[in-house]
């Protein structure tokens, strides 16, 4: 049975070259979730000493978790689609009811970008710790839905 929620959005992302079809791969999807778990732990370890790298880890966890969801369905973002198409495809398929649990994605992406592209990174260790639970939700969503959503 096909996953109908968000189908039009995902089909449009494929049509416009922002997503592409690949063979569904549950093993690789689970591997990405495992790496996302490691990134979450690393972010907390780095929070007090290197907030820029801690935000890289949080963003990596989020990105890998969402990529895992799509990979299990036989989808992946293209270079043109990047992190935005990834988020848009998952959000379209899971909201409602899980959209608000993806809220940390863009905030963490912006904080990570600030560390990469600005002279001064304003985030402090408490910011990393405050964003961590939202990223935990994203990884937990991936763990719940991988294998539950059929190939696209």
């Amino acid at each position: 049975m096909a996953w109908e929620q968000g189908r039009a959005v995902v089909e449009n992302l494929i049509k416009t070259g922002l997503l592409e079809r690949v063979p569904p791969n549950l093993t690789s999807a689970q591997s990405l979730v495992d790496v996302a778990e490691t990134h979450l732990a690393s972010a907390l370890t780095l929070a007090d000493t290197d907030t820029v790298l801690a935000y890289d880890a949080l963003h990596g966890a989020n990105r890998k978790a969402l990529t895992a969801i799509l990979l299990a369905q036989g989808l992946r973002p293209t270079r043109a689609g990047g992190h935005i198409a990834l988020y848009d495809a998952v959000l379209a398929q899971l909201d409602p009811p899980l959209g608000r649990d993806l809220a940390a994605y863009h905030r963490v992406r912006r904080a990570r970008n600030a560390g990469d592209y600005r002279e001064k990174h304003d985030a402090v260790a408490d910011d990393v710790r405050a964003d961590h639970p939202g990223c935990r939700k994203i990884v937990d969503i991936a763990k719940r839905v991988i294998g539950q959503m059929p190939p696209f």
Side-chain angles (χ1 to χ4, degrees):
M1 175 158 47
W3 189 268
E4 291 303 321
Q5 184 170 324
R7 179 166 285 280
V9 170
V10 173
E11 286 176 349
N12 189 55
L13 291 168
I14 293 168
K15 179 182 170 188
T16 58
L18 301 178
L19 285 182
E20 63 185 354
R21 292 180 189 272
V22 296
N25 191 327
L26 290 175
T27 302
S28 292
Q30 185 56 54
S31 179
L32 282 174
V33 171
D34 293 344
V35 173
E37 289 282 0
T38 301
H39 287 345
L40 287 177
S42 295
L44 291 178
T45 300
L46 293 165
D48 290 317
T49 59
D50 190 342
T51 57
V52 172
L53 195 53
Y55 267 104
D56 275 340
L58 289 177
H59 177 64
N62 290 344
R63 186 175 44 79
K64 286 177 174 85
L66 297 188
T67 300
I69 293 169
L70 294 184
L71 187 57
Q73 293 182 278
L75 300 167
R76 75 173 171 207
T78 64
R79 188 174 295 267
H83 304 174
I84 302 300
L86 173 65
Y87 175 83
D88 289 347
V90 173
L91 180 68
Q93 294 183 87
L94 297 180
D95 186 35
L98 300 174
R100 74 174 174 269
D101 289 340
L102 299 174
Y105 185 84
H106 285 305
R107 184 178 58 256
V108 167
R109 186 178 61 80
R110 285 189 300 272
R112 179 240 180 210
N113 288 348
D116 285 352
Y117 303 116
R118 292 189 193 157
E119 277 186 34
K120 185 173 187 264
H121 187 254
D122 296 329
V124 297
D126 285 341
D127 296 326
V128 174
R129 287 188 280 274
D131 280 328
H132 189 273
C135 298
R136 160 59 48 210
K137 286 180 182 179
I138 292 171
V139 173
D140 286 346
I141 287 169
K143 290 164 77 171
R144 277 197 323 253
V145 304
I146 288 173
Q148 301 301 313
M149 299 169 76
F152 192 83

